[in-house]
Amino acid sequence: MTRKKTASTRRAFLSKTGLAAAGLTLAQSSPASAASTEKPALLGGDKAVTARTQGADTWPLYGEAEEKVVLQMLRHPTYGPNDELENDWKAYYNVPYAKTYCNGTSALAAMFFALDLPPGSEIMVPSYTFFATIVPMRLFGLVPVFVDINPRTLNMDLEDARRRLTKGTRAILPVHWFGNPADMDGFCDFAKEKGLIVLEDCAHAHGTSLKGKLMGTWGEMSIFSFQTTKPLPGIEGGMGMYRDRSSYERAVSFGHYDVPKTFGQDSAYARYEGTGLGLKLRMHPVAAVLIRAQFPKLRERNVSGVQQVRSLNDRLLQLPGLYDQRARPDAQRLYYDANVLFVEEAEAGISRDRLVQALRAEGVAASRFVYRLQHKCALYAEEKWWHHKPAIPELPGSEKANATAIWLPYFTRPVPEVVEQYVKAFEKIWAHRKQLA
């Protein structure tokens, strides 16, 4: 679904007005519109962006609180913070079971092991995702079914999932891209109808929700990442959440040899105390204290981040052919790491490559955003790594996202001067886009 344009909008005005008229009329209508009379830097004009971000585009935001807890950990080494973080997480999400891991990838591997599905079972996943959402499943004989994304949300497309369901499909694993909640109500209804297990990759989605329900609590199991770029950075780290005891005990036994002793004698996994069932995937306690120090700030950070992005995007989206990552009105999302826009070249009247070139000349930190599509990687084309070779489909939504996306920096605090100058840069380019194109 695309936004409707009306003659009263600035976007419609710019798209329908001649170049000279747009420059003169907009210059008279508002101070910001004066940019339309100025020559773009790519054509020999002055750069629009001269203000500095003063660190608002850097991450992580470690300060005295984080330094203090790390120093305390170095002076008094203990694994206690891991347990404390798990307790904090369970209280925040109101879930019975959670376990820390050394990273999100290991939490995913433990989750796939916990499924206890027969080899050859298939799991529906997006191709537009990090390898860790998919590759660990092959260790247990599981096979991915690649599903397309909606190129405006970057999340798995429910209708495409319906089309790609096979008789061997046993689970579905949506990813909440850049903190944008996927359509979990629809996926859960679909899964119930088809008898599928619902999983969630919440690596980007700490504290986000849909219809007031936190992401990570919709599925039977879910994972989070605390890698350096993530909303709660521990440099490395992961969390697994589990709805039922059997999933928790099986997952934890795979990566935590010392935990089965806590399960109770009625547990099927208590006897594996001291050996576990696979690997040692314990979180480093320095990561745990870093995450715990930032956890109380999560809600405030998420709200502030949305405000910062909207202060820029709501103005840029008045320009024809420019869009951002669409979120549902009943979703509470977050932003982190990047502010992704999409340019429809035919509507905008300028190619993405030329637009990025012009923006960079203006001083905007912009680049083409092209994400590695998993189904095009060599691993999935080689049968020897899989119970049976995954089907390699055509995924036009994923291709469109890669053909239209632009990366802008994510500002972590108000930078009004920079925002004004970014808007000016875009407006200059749009007013002169015929010449630039």
Side-chain angles (χ1 to χ4, degrees), residues 65-287:
E66 288 75 23
E67 293 173 1
K68 181 178 179 180
V69 295
V70 169
L71 182 59
Q72 184 177 358
M73 169 57 62
L74 297 179
R75 290 173 173 168
H76 306 285
T78 173
Y79 290 111
N82 295 24
D83 298 331
E84 293 165 352
L85 176 58
E86 291 162 8
N87 290 334
D88 292 346
W89 206 259
K90 288 185 289 186
Y92 182 91
Y93 280 91
N94 191 27
V95 294
Y97 305 104
K99 192 62 188 172
T100 51
Y101 292 87
C102 57
N103 49 42
T105 305
S106 58
L108 280 156
M111 182 173 75
F112 291 135
F113 179 74
L115 287 173
D116 198 16
L117 292 172
S121 299
E122 296 177 340
I123 301 178
M124 305 185 90
V125 291
S127 174
Y128 195 99
T129 189
F130 190 53
F131 86 92
T133 309
I134 307 173
V135 176
M137 70 174 66
R138 75 173 193 83
L139 302 176
F140 314 110
L142 307 175
V143 182
V145 173
F146 292 110
V147 178
D148 210 354
I149 61 166
N150 181 317
R152 282 284 189 268
T153 68
L154 302 182
N155 287 335
M156 187 187 286
D157 186 296
L158 175 57
E159 294 310 309
D160 194 62
R162 291 184 181 278
R163 289 190 290 268
R164 299 188 189 278
L165 182 72
T166 80
K167 63 180 181 181
T169 305
R170 296 292 178 265
I172 187 166
L173 175 53
V175 180
H176 309 300
W177 248 97
F178 280 133
N180 187 23
D183 297 328
M184 293 307 300
D185 47 357
F187 285 116
C188 287
D189 289 345
F190 168 59
K192 184 176 181 180
E193 174 190 346
K194 301 300 182 180
L196 305 179
I197 302 166
V198 178
L199 310 170
E200 290 182 78
D201 185 333
C202 304
H204 308 182
H206 312 58
T208 60
S209 64
L210 182 70
K211 293 183 173 180
K213 185 173 181 177
L214 287 166
M215 311 320 290
T217 64
W218 290 80
E220 294 296 319
M221 294 181 277
S222 60
I223 70 92
F224 295 80
S225 171
F226 304 118
Q227 184 265 345
T228 303
T229 64
K230 299 302 191 296
L232 281 175
I235 302 178
E236 280 289 356
M239 182 73 74
M241 291 202 320
Y242 313 92
R243 182 179 292 181
D244 63 71
R245 177 184 173 186
S246 60
S247 296
Y248 164 74
E249 291 184 350
R250 184 174 171 85
V252 169
S253 296
F254 179 72
H256 295 80
Y257 70 94
D258 54 338
V259 178
K261 64 185 177 184
T262 68
F263 291 165
Q265 292 306 306
D266 62 333
S267 169
Y269 298 94
R271 64 182 181 273
Y272 302 116
E273 174 190 351
T275 61
L277 291 171
L279 302 172
K280 181 180 177 184
L281 303 176
R282 178 191 291 156
M283 174 183 279
H284 198 295
V286 170

